[in-house]
Amino acid sequence: MDLNFNKNEDHNKLLLSALKKKLNQVKLGGGQKSIDKHHAKGKLTARERIDYLLDSKKPSLEIGAFAGDGMYEDYGGCPSGGVVIKMGYVQGQQCIVVANDATVKAGAWFPITGKKNLRAQEIAIENRLPIIYLVDSAGVFLPMQDEIFPDKEHFGRIFRNNAVMSSLGITQIAAVMGSCVAGGAYLPIMSDEALIVDKTGSIFLAGSYLVKAAIGEDIDNETLGGATTHCEISGVTDYKAKDDKDALDRIKNIVNKIGDYTPAGFNRIAASKPSLDPKEIYGILPKSRADQYDMKEIIKRLVDKSEFDEYKEGYGKTIITAYARIDGWAVGIVANQRQLVKTTGVKTKPSEMQFGGVIYNDSADKATRFIANCNQKKIPLVFLQDVTGFMVGSKSEHSGIIKDGAKMVNAVSNSVVPKFTIVVGNSYGAGNYAMCGKAYDPRLIAAWPSAELAVMSGKSAAKVLLQIETASLKKKGETITKEKEEELFEKIKSRYDNQVSPYYAAARLWTDGVIDPLDTRTWISLGIEAANHAPIEKPFNLGVLQV
């Protein structure tokens, strides 16, 4: 391996080390003291509950581990959004599991908590997956109630989704393993079956203090809404469990008897590992965003046997379109090519160079046709993003780049096969949209530690913002020295660089997580297996296209 490979490898492994360190911190939830208090009550933590429930020998993936990262600092933070969500297997059945983390503000719902719960339900609805709720929450975080309570995508949408999933025949199981109060009480009771843990679980619309204040009744919480009350008097819950493990064992028994599903029919054969070492990705992916690399070398380390069949290899070279297999599943790959490429054709001069990572007219046209082909053949799509946007300038505008870009966006928007997006490097501007960013409904979207998501790079944005800032200062009569200009530039760039971080995006659930590149195959494979639970219900139709 050359020196540049080693430098890249060192850089990317440092990014990976930082990722693992952040994950370890997040997994502590509200901190060790809070965990100890939780254990003292005879309760497992959210992560312990999920680990006990899921099949240990089968793969799983966590959705939104970094939700809330760096947010709500005035309130002490909200690690993982106060809720843990995993896709995995229970008794061999693929499921989504949602567990409130009561070590974080007693499991209270922050705005990001609501968004994350809705994301879990969205995944369950799209893929027709059973969903299991492990409830242990104090309800809405009152200081921020205006940002979580009344809007369409807020707290109340959860219960609307409960009803919709029930009508779709999607299994919902809820275990009340701690507090379950006020409006939150509807979630387990709108599920198909509800369990409650004796002595630690409770459900009521208003707790004993509020009941005393509202109607003058003097009653304790256990009598008001404990396990005995709801299993023997009200009939609100279906099963009484003696402790957390008993409740989780009962869930396993329920899931074990769920009938089979009608598959969508995506093509799969016996899986093969890549022939080339996936760990070499760390050395291929460049340290500097200005450096070129061959995305095909990344693809070879992600796909079975390191083999793929490239579609229109000699045309539109800044986008790679190829058929391949990942863990046995047939996939169509749409990937940005970061190398400078020579082009020949009607719209370009012979041997003209095209910038890597930029979408040109021919690239957009090729991608549109490939996406249509994959929809025709019922092949799931995988997007590998490292894109700076569409090509600008008079030549591109006169060639109709907006029209060609619109065709690609149209194809991505109307695609009916499941889509999966991995942000490898840059994800800037309209390139994010055309390459199936979050707004275009990927079933799963994950970023590598090397990723950046923004309208433009920090350096480009800082130059634009600096021009605006200096113009404003000059209007006020202030003199801008070169030193002052450099100081302003670095200040603006630093602020913007923080916002393009993959963790900033993951904190706001613009992606489902930041992952080790070596976990990419697992994410895509589990994602397609989940999607295979939901037959495609409508034909592919591009609508009106300007050809």
Side-chain angles (χ1 to χ4, degrees):
M1 297 298 178
D2 60 24
L3 181 61
N4 198 45
F5 182 98
N6 292 335
K7 287 180 178 179
N8 291 339
E9 185 177 44
D10 289 344
H11 173 73
N12 286 307
K13 285 189 173 179
L14 282 173
L15 292 180
L16 180 61
S17 176
L19 166 62
K20 290 178 178 178
K21 185 177 179 180
K22 285 179 74 71
L23 274 174
N24 288 336
Q25 184 62 41
V26 157
K27 288 177 180 179
L28 288 174
Q32 192 58 52
K33 286 185 178 179
S34 295
I35 292 172
D36 292 342
K37 287 180 181 178
H38 199 75
H39 285 159
K41 297 175 185 177
K43 298 162 70 174
L44 300 173
T45 65
R47 292 180 183 279
E48 288 168 344
R49 287 167 176 166
I50 292 177
D51 288 345
Y52 184 86
L53 184 62
L54 294 180
D55 298 347
S56 60
K57 293 183 179 180
K58 284 186 169 281
S60 65
L61 53 89
E62 183 170 351
I63 306 296
F66 293 111
D69 183 56
M71 300 167 67
Y72 315 120
E73 296 300 325
D74 290 345
Y75 298 108
C78 186
S80 275
V83 62
V84 182
I85 297 170
K86 285 194 176 183
M87 177 189 288
Y89 299 85
V90 178
Q91 299 293 290
Q93 170 73 58
Q94 197 172 16
C95 298
I96 297 290
V97 185
V98 182
N100 299 113
D101 187 350
T103 70
V104 179
K105 293 289 188 296
W109 288 56
F110 283 71
I112 197 66
T113 316
K115 187 174 183 180
K116 186 171 174 180
N117 274 269
L118 287 170
R119 176 63 179 142
Q121 290 185 320
E122 180 183 42
I123 292 170
I125 291 170
E126 284 180 331
N127 299 293
R128 302 294 193 268
L129 285 184
I131 184 167
I132 299 166
Y133 309 99
L134 307 179
V135 184
D136 194 347
S137 171
V140 167
F141 185 62
L142 291 177
M144 303 189 76
Q145 65 85 26
D146 61 320
E147 296 182 46
I148 181 62
F149 170 66
D151 209 347
K152 180 179 178 181
E153 301 299 334
H154 284 178
F155 190 68
R157 188 78 171 180
I158 304 290
F159 317 128
R160 176 264 185 194
N161 286 351
N162 286 142
V164 168
M165 281 191 279
S166 182
S167 72
L168 293 170
I170 298 169
T171 299
Q172 299 177 84
I173 302 167
V176 180
M177 310 181 82
S179 180
C180 182
V181 301
Y186 288 103
L187 185 147
I189 311 312
M190 292 188 75
S191 298
D192 302 334
E193 296 184 82
L195 305 85
I196 186 168
V197 178
D198 195 22
K199 299 298 184 284
T200 55
S202 59
I203 312 172
F204 33 65
L205 294 182
S208 57
Y209 291 123
L210 187 54
V211 167
K212 176 72 173 176
I215 64 174
E217 183 181 2
D218 198 355
I219 189 170
D220 64 88
N221 282 339
E222 182 64 25
T223 306
L224 181 66
T228 299
T229 294
H230 286 310
C231 286
E232 300 179 17
I233 300 173
S234 72
V236 164
T237 51
D238 307 308
Y239 308 94
K240 180 164 70 172
K242 63 182 180 181
D243 56 27
D244 280 11
K245 288 187 177 180
D246 184 37
L248 297 169
D249 285 335
R250 286 170 179 263
I251 291 173
K252 291 179 183 181
N253 289 336
I254 294 169
V255 173
N256 191 38
K257 297 171 181 66
I258 295 175
D260 207 353
Y261 61 92
T262 302
F266 302 122
N267 185 292
R268 192 182 198 185
I269 62 173
S272 299
K273 293 181 179 179
S275 300
L276 298 175
D277 187 357
K279 291 179 182 178
E280 291 175 355
I281 288 173
Y282 302 131
I284 296 167
L285 200 63
K287 176 180 178 180
S288 170
R289 294 184 179 276
D291 290 349
Q292 301 169 48
Y293 69 97
D294 188 354
M295 180 63 87
K296 292 179 186 179
E297 294 303 318
I298 299 287
I299 294 171
K300 288 176 184 176
R301 287 155 180 84
L302 294 177
V303 301
D304 291 13
K305 298 182 180 179
S306 299
E307 295 175 352
F308 58 88
D309 299 311
E310 193 167 354
Y311 172 81
K312 287 186 177 290
E313 181 179 0
Y315 179 71
K317 291 185 178 181
T318 64
I319 282 185
I320 299 164
T321 48
Y323 299 107
R325 290 190 182 274
I326 292 179
D327 200 32
W329 294 104
V331 296
I333 295 173
V334 181
N336 303 111
Q337 176 60 288
R338 278 292 302 272
Q339 284 189 324
L340 282 171
V341 295
K342 291 183 178 182
T343 65
T344 56
V346 176
K347 295 182 180 179
T348 56
K349 296 176 182 177
S351 301
E352 183 174 341
M353 301 302 293
Q354 289 188 343
F355 296 103
V358 179
I359 302 175
Y360 287 78
N361 300 75
D362 51 0
S363 304
D365 176 68
K366 177 172 80 169
T368 301
R369 295 184 63 177
F370 181 73
I371 291 166
N373 282 348
C374 287
N375 275 270
Q376 185 86 350
K377 298 171 184 175
K378 205 158 73 171
I379 300 174
L381 286 159
V382 174
F383 292 84
L384 301 178
Q385 289 192 1
D386 194 348
V387 58
T388 53
F390 286 89
M391 191 59 191
V392 298
S394 60
K395 183 175 180 180
S396 290
E397 297 293 358
H398 295 170
S399 298
I401 187 65
I402 297 174
K403 181 175 65 177
D404 289 327
K407 288 191 294 186
M408 184 175 174
V409 169
N410 193 317
V412 173
S413 303
N414 286 304
S415 191
V416 296
V417 295
K419 298 167 291 192
F420 302 90
T421 301
I422 304 296
V423 186
V424 172
N426 301 324
S427 181
Y428 297 154
N432 169 281
Y433 301 159
M435 291 293 295
C436 198
K438 183 65 182 291
Y440 291 81
D441 300 319
R443 296 293 177 97
L444 293 172
I445 176 171
W448 290 358
S450 50
E452 287 190 358
L453 292 86
V455 171
M456 60 184 76
S457 70
K459 187 174 181 180
S460 297
K463 286 179 179 178
V464 174
L465 293 170
L466 178 64
Q467 291 176 28
I468 297 169
E469 183 76 14
T470 53
S472 175
L473 291 172
K474 285 177 181 177
K475 280 185 180 179
K476 295 176 183 177
E478 295 187 31
T479 303
I480 307 298
T481 63
K482 186 177 180 181
E483 290 76 16
K484 176 69 174 175
E485 192 172 283
E486 289 176 354
E487 182 185 336
L488 275 172
F489 177 82
E490 288 303 324
K491 183 179 178 181
I492 294 168
K493 184 176 181 297
S494 176
R495 184 175 69 243
Y496 198 88
D497 281 344
N498 177 59
Q499 294 180 1
V500 305
S501 159
Y503 299 104
Y504 189 93
R508 289 151 183 82
L509 291 175
W510 301 343
T511 66
D512 292 315
V514 183
I515 66 170
D516 183 343
L518 301 189
D519 292 333
T520 302
R521 281 171 55 86
T522 300
W523 273 70
I524 293 170
S525 179
L526 285 185
I528 298 175
E529 185 171 347
N532 204 39
H533 285 71
I536 296 170
E537 296 175 346
K538 64 177 183 177
F540 176 61
N541 185 348
L542 282 176
V544 177
L545 272 183
Q546 291 193 45
V547 180

